[in-house]
Amino acid sequence: MDKFVVKGGRRLEGEVTISGAKNAAVAILPAVILSDEPCTVENVPYISDVRICIQILKEMGAEVTNIGKDAYRIDPTTIDKFCVPYEYARKMRASYYFLGALLGKFNKARVSMPGGCPLGDRPIDQHLKAFTALGAKHTLSQGMIDLSADKLKGNQIFFDVVTVGATMNAMLAAVKAEGLTVIENAAKEPHVVDLANFLNSMGANIMGAGTDVIKIRGVEHLHGTTYAVIPDQIEAGTFMVAVAATKGDVLIKNVIPKHLESITKKLEKIGVNIEQFDDSIRVWVDGPLVKTNVKTAPHPGFPTDMQSQIATLLCLAQGTSIITENIWEQRFRYVDELRRMGADITVNGKVALIEGTGKLMGAPVKACDLRAGAALIIAGLAASGVTEIEDIYHIERGYDCMEGKLRALGADIEKVSVPDKAEENEAKSENDKAAV
Ligand code: EPZ
């Protein structure tokens, strides 16, 4: 098992380039299945969730070629399997996008119930509602979801909650369905728009992505395309907070400032300076950090995926801050780890009260999910002393070489391999035997 060892107290300075968006790439790669010709997808982040997507496509029979650091040429015309086994689906929540893509192309799909970050209950009832509305039947047996349809027909889909995954899955299933599909109460995240743009570049007919009503006219044929994934809004936000936490000064490149608006506004309220350019932003701090209140909400509100990072920053600010988590019921699990570093946070249901102490102390901690892990890195960068972060596989699911990017900005962070307990015990018993 690997861990990060972070020596705190260094200001982040210089320039960093943001990678492609994880939550767009994990939907766009399965969407290639819908094409009748090869596609090239560029600006794909080198993260484990993407590697799992690529592996699944290969297992299904697609030809996948890595052409350069962040681009893949995928030929889906050789696909001859329509199942995503548990061994892959349990590692990645986004495996459910294969349901929509396979159903949309072949009128059938078999995918294991998804895994992913432990953020509390993660139902898929709205996904199934969308597929059923389009004419599919679903069964659940042995942890596998089976979908089948004689023919997919456009329909009205009204989501009971704003859901990114179900909005994107409904688009995947509807792009070749006969007639008009109208999705209401749709999610508006940048990655929802990116998937719609990708599908339209293949010849789909999707209008209104980015608003809460998306209209899709089914088409017979989707052709090949070359498409670049948008920059990752959450990776950019994570680096913005890391710069603020170390009172640094960094130019963050390859961003879409519009996607960062809610994060930018919140950081400016805390006392962070931000200057926007066409595809980059400069972030620096030259004064005190002050308290503020945060409520997470669907886009364009403050992203839940930035909640643990901004909480870490507020531990370093003066005054009492309040964070309200409105999306996930268990997204404060990182608080126990921050408390080990001296944070003063009280959690009551979906509200966390943060008493800014202005400082944190290094300690051994564990990442409990992807964004919590990122928050602990930020805490370690700002803390006095050394922080060791275990279970960093969570972090590597969604951040492309984070430690390398931070080191280039002056951080003292390194990845250290640690034999896991089983290996250690095995080695010990071997030694004991040898010693006899
Ligand atoms: C996506 O998860 C992201 N994951 C999450 O990011 C992100 O936190 C979330 O959207 C919200 O922005 C990917 O894109 C791979 P939802 P998703 O469906 O699609 C409820 C990260 O850190 N709901 O928008 O699973 C659900 O319980 C990850 O990158 C239903 O009730 O989230 C939640 O309360 C973590 N029924 C709310 O909707 C459903 O069928 C939003 O969930 C689906 C969702």
Side-chain angles (χ1 to χ4, degrees):
M1 301 291 275
D2 293 339
K3 66 183 177 182
F4 285 138
V5 178
V6 185
K7 289 195 184 73
R10 301 262 190 106
R11 290 181 73 238
L12 297 184
E13 292 177 311
E15 296 185 354
V16 64
T17 299
I18 298 302
S19 301
K22 162 178 103 75
N23 290 345
V26 295
I28 286 172
L29 291 170
V32 171
I33 291 170
L34 289 155
S35 171
D36 296 328
E37 296 164 355
C39 296
T40 297
V41 185
E42 299 170 341
N43 200 34
V44 178
Y46 188 68
I47 55 178
S48 56
D49 272 14
V50 160
R51 292 194 288 274
I52 292 169
C53 277
I54 297 293
Q55 194 53 42
I56 292 171
L57 287 167
K58 286 181 176 174
E59 296 272 311
M60 286 179 174
E63 287 287 318
V64 183
T65 316
N66 187 202
I67 45 173
K69 180 183 171 302
D70 59 6
Y72 293 87
R73 182 181 181 279
I74 302 166
D75 180 357
T77 59
T78 50
I79 285 177
D80 57 5
K81 293 192 191 70
F82 315 103
C83 169
V84 178
Y86 176 64
E87 63 186 289
Y88 295 114
R90 69 182 176 81
K91 293 177 190 163
M92 182 183 70
R93 169 98 184 144
S95 50
Y96 52 40
Y97 290 130
F98 285 94
L99 280 170
L102 288 167
L103 179 68
K105 178 68 176 287
F106 301 110
N107 286 348
K108 61 183 176 185
R110 183 171 162 74
V111 177
S112 169
M113 281 293 278
C117 285
L119 304 174
D121 187 21
R122 298 194 76 172
I124 60 165
D125 59 303
Q126 300 297 301
H127 299 243
L128 299 177
K129 174 178 185 174
F131 298 144
T132 307
L134 296 170
K137 293 184 184 61
H138 68 270
T139 57
L140 179 60
S141 68
Q142 307 290 323
M144 299 297 285
I145 303 163
D146 275 294
L147 293 176
S148 64
D150 298 332
K151 185 184 181 65
L152 293 173
K153 281 175 71 61
N155 201 345
Q156 198 91 12
I157 299 168
F158 189 95
F159 286 128
D160 305 326
V161 292
V162 175
T163 150
V164 167
T167 300
M168 293 167 90
N169 242 340
M171 280 200 281
L172 292 168
V175 280
K176 298 189 74 174
E178 187 184 82
L180 177 67
T181 295
V182 180
I183 301 170
E184 296 193 75
N185 201 21
K188 298 180 266 194
E189 272 67 7
H191 29 290
V192 173
V193 178
D194 207 28
L195 176 63
N197 291 340
F198 172 72
L199 291 167
N200 283 341
S201 76
M202 291 157 71
N205 185 345
I206 303 173
M207 297 151 283
T211 73
D212 48 12
V213 179
I214 300 175
K215 292 184 179 171
I216 303 165
R217 276 197 191 288
V219 296
E220 288 282 314
H221 167 69
L222 290 174
H223 53 70
T225 184
T226 294
Y227 190 84
V229 174
I230 53 168
D232 194 311
Q233 161 205 39
I234 304 302
E235 184 192 16
T238 302
F239 273 92
M240 291 166 80
V241 172
V243 175
T246 60
K247 296 194 184 281
D249 186 340
V250 171
L251 182 68
I252 302 175
K253 303 194 295 186
N254 190 34
V255 300
I256 299 174
K258 178 95 181 105
H259 292 168
L260 304 174
E261 247 166 26
S262 61
I263 302 166
T264 298
K265 287 200 172 24
K266 199 53 77 177
L267 289 175
E268 286 174 336
K269 271 190 74 179
I270 295 172
V272 181
N273 301 299
I274 293 169
E275 187 178 358
Q276 296 188 9
F277 305 97
D278 290 346
D279 61 357
S280 60
I281 47 165
R282 180 190 168 211
V283 180
W284 76 101
V285 173
D286 53 13
L289 299 176
V290 297
K291 68 174 174 65
T292 191
N293 296 335
V294 179
K295 287 186 171 64
T296 64
H299 193 77
F302 189 86
T304 175
D305 294 348
M306 281 297 304
Q307 187 255 91
S308 51
Q309 298 93 306
I310 202 93
T312 302
L313 185 64
L314 291 169
C315 292
L316 301 165
Q318 293 159 8
T320 305
S321 300
I322 300 173
I323 291 188
T324 308
E325 170 56 55
N326 290 312
I327 308 294
W328 299 110
E329 72 221 15
Q330 286 180 26
R331 201 160 209 176
F332 287 125
R333 294 169 67 236
Y334 63 88
V335 167
D336 283 340
E337 301 304 308
L338 282 182
R339 285 187 184 125
R340 294 168 56 79
M341 300 177 73
D344 179 352
I345 305 177
T346 312
V347 175
N348 185 354
K350 62 182 200 173
V351 177
L353 201 69
I354 300 174
E355 296 298 344
T357 57
K359 61 182 184 323
L360 290 168
M361 298 164 290
V365 290
K366 276 188 181 207
C368 54
D369 70 58
L370 163 57
R371 308 301 175 183
L376 292 173
I377 290 178
I378 293 170
L381 293 171
S384 55
V386 176
T387 300
E388 297 195 352
I389 303 165
E390 291 188 356
D391 294 349
I392 62 172
Y393 61 88
H394 286 293
I395 303 168
E396 294 177 326
R397 282 190 48 218
Y399 287 96
D400 186 346
C401 194
M402 189 168 188
E403 77 275 12
K405 292 178 180 176
L406 287 169
R407 261 204 306 277
L409 293 174
D412 184 342
I413 177 173
E414 58 171 330
K415 180 157 54 170
V416 173
S417 286
V418 180
D420 66 9
K421 290 282 171 281
E423 281 170 16
E424 243 175 12
N425 295 340
E426 194 179 310
K428 187 173 175 310
S429 66
E430 289 303 315
N431 290 341
D432 292 351
K433 269 189 226 149
V436 166

